[in-house]
Amino acid sequence: MRAEAVELRRVRLPLAEPFRASWGTQHDRDVLLVRALADGAEGWAECAAMNEPRYSPEWVDGAHALLRAHAGSIESVVGNPMAKAALRDALLDLDLRAAGTSLAAHVGAVRTEVDAGVAVGTADSVAELLDTVARRVDEGYRRVKLKIAPGWDVEPVRAVRERFPDLPLQVDANGAYRVDDAAHLVALDDLDLLLVEQPLPDDDLLGHATLAQVLRTPICLDEAITSVRAAKQAITLGACSVVNLKPGRVGGVEEARRIHDVCVDAAVAVWVGGMLATGIGRAVDLALAALPGCTLPGDLSPTGRWFADDLLTEPVAMVDGRLPVPQSPVDVRDLSDVTTSVELVRLSRGA
Ligand code: NPG
């Protein structure tokens, strides 16, 4: 279906708890929503770009400006995968709604529910970290990921492992180490971790391949996997044996599906990452997590984990540590009370 225009809508949502990453602490999420419009029909997507460009070069104001200026010719734009993903996935949602096909069916989902996993940020003390992890385990999450950074790694992770000997546990460095840290990181090998995620900077594939020779713990890449080509290179170089799939990071759900397929062919395990998604983005994440190659639990939590009051959709609830995979398009509620701006961009070409 040919879209005539896209609505670019910004909503500001307070986070139910602060999000602490190595690059800072965030208290709210300024979300860009894209609504594709055609002949009375609509399609929705959420842009993964964050308030600030600290996880990757994109940020919400940049993605917004890019789509305002280039929505009609997005396929000739270089880079900017999160902005592209938002537009492409809104257009895909428009088509799927019109066809009455669920995204889960479209991508080839093979499960109707998936295991929930949770990411736990750095803490001020090991005691505080243990309390947080205990709370998450009580809530029923089936896997916990701990953020690590130089100065906050082996000791806190060991404490969590000692307190929870059977907990499926993994760590994420968001690129905070250098290959020279290999001798230090090797201590993680005794802690029975599922994987260590993106230990080195996103452009250091060779460093990851070197590290993979030294560590027994499987290396997973996140930031480094920006496309099918990047995935093939990383796998061929031996830079990773696990891949974190995020549709925003790779330019949309179709590229994410292709990366999944490349990983399955190479016997590389896949799981779906999270970027503080509202119910709109979460539905996409859940459909991908139901693919056959997604054999590890994702960073997938109920919507209430990040957004206590301001849900954009029906809440996604966790039951017995699992989340349902949506079988129909999400119902987006009236957003007027959380909208900070809205504009219409006509698509004169392509799209
Ligand atoms: O539950 O959605 C979630 C958050 C999981 O911590 C999480 N994601 O590095 O993967 C990550 C991290 C992240 C969050 C990255 C926001 C970028 C933005």
Side-chain angles (χ1 to χ4, degrees):
M1 185 176 271
R2 193 185 164 91
E4 294 137 15
V6 287
E7 182 188 273
L8 304 179
R9 180 183 290 264
R10 291 281 282 272
V11 299
R12 184 175 281 278
L13 305 173
L15 294 179
E17 63 178 86
F19 171 69
R20 287 185 61 167
S22 54
W23 57 82
T25 301
Q26 198 172 319
H27 296 273
D28 59 31
R29 192 149 176 240
D30 184 352
V31 190
L32 171 63
L33 301 176
V34 178
R35 181 171 165 232
L37 298 164
D39 214 7
E42 63 176 17
W44 286 89
E46 167 182 348
C47 183
M50 290 286 124
N51 298 14
E52 304 286 342
R54 309 214 190 281
Y55 161 81
S56 77
E58 284 184 280
W59 63 309
V60 66
D61 282 346
H64 194 161
L66 181 99
L67 290 178
R68 185 186 294 125
H70 299 289
S73 54
I74 197 72
E75 297 306 331
S76 63
V77 166
V78 297
N80 294 282
M82 292 180 187
K84 278 183 184 155
L87 179 56
R88 289 172 176 161
D89 290 353
L91 295 171
L92 175 63
D93 189 52
L94 175 73
D95 284 343
L96 294 178
R97 282 177 199 250
T101 307
S102 70
L103 180 63
H106 175 73
V107 295
V110 293
R111 284 181 282 276
T112 54
E113 52 176 29
V114 297
D115 287 352
V118 69
V120 174
T122 56
D124 289 327
S125 67
V126 170
E128 184 191 314
L129 178 73
L130 289 171
D131 280 353
T132 306
V133 173
R135 202 152 31 89
R136 296 307 178 198
V137 170
D138 284 348
E139 287 166 358
Y141 286 100
R142 289 174 176 258
R143 176 286 258 154
V144 171
K145 149 170 150 179
L146 303 177
K147 292 283 186 184
I148 58 167
W152 181 264
D153 47 35
V154 178
E155 187 203 340
V157 179
R158 179 174 292 130
V160 171
R161 173 49 82 217
E162 281 170 2
R163 168 95 170 262
F164 303 94
D166 302 323
L167 177 66
L169 190 65
Q170 63 194 53
V171 296
D172 180 12
N174 289 108
Y177 295 87
R178 299 296 174 264
V179 71
D180 298 348
D181 296 317
H184 173 69
L185 292 172
V186 107
L188 295 172
D189 277 348
D190 295 333
L191 304 178
D192 189 20
L193 302 177
L194 289 166
L195 56 92
V196 51
E197 182 181 354
Q198 196 68 48
L200 310 179
D202 54 356
D203 60 356
D204 194 3
L205 286 185
L206 291 178
H208 283 102
T210 303
L211 196 59
Q213 300 286 323
V214 180
L215 293 194
R216 262 187 293 116
T217 308
I219 292 182
C220 169
L221 291 179
D222 170 13
E223 286 91 326
I225 306 297
T226 50
S227 63
V228 165
R229 202 160 39 237
K232 284 184 179 164
Q233 285 176 13
I235 294 167
T236 304
L237 282 169
C240 66
S241 52
V242 184
V243 162
N244 165 330
L245 206 56
K246 285 179 179 168
R249 196 194 63 220
V250 303
V253 72
E254 305 282 19
E255 185 77 355
R257 165 77 219 218
R258 288 189 286 269
I259 292 172
H260 162 275
D261 295 351
V262 163
C263 291
V264 169
D265 285 348
V268 161
V270 185
W271 57 280
V272 173
M275 293 181 62
L276 313 180
T278 73
I280 298 173
R282 181 110 345 181
V284 177
D285 295 342
L286 289 168
L288 286 171
L291 289 174
C294 291
T295 50
L296 292 168
D299 280 345
L300 298 168
S301 46
T303 36
R305 152 133 167 83
W306 291 113
F307 306 105
D309 305 321
D310 294 286
L311 298 165
L312 305 184
T313 57
E314 282 300 302
V316 175
M318 175 165 66
V319 178
D320 192 23
R322 294 203 170 89
L323 300 167
V325 177
Q327 302 299 319
S328 54
V330 289
D331 241 332
V332 182
R333 73 162 171 90
D334 175 2
L335 301 176
S336 38
D337 57 330
V338 287
T339 297
T340 53
S341 77
V342 56
E343 68 196 275
L344 199 69
V345 178
R346 302 225 155 263
L347 299 176
S348 45
R349 277 189 285 151

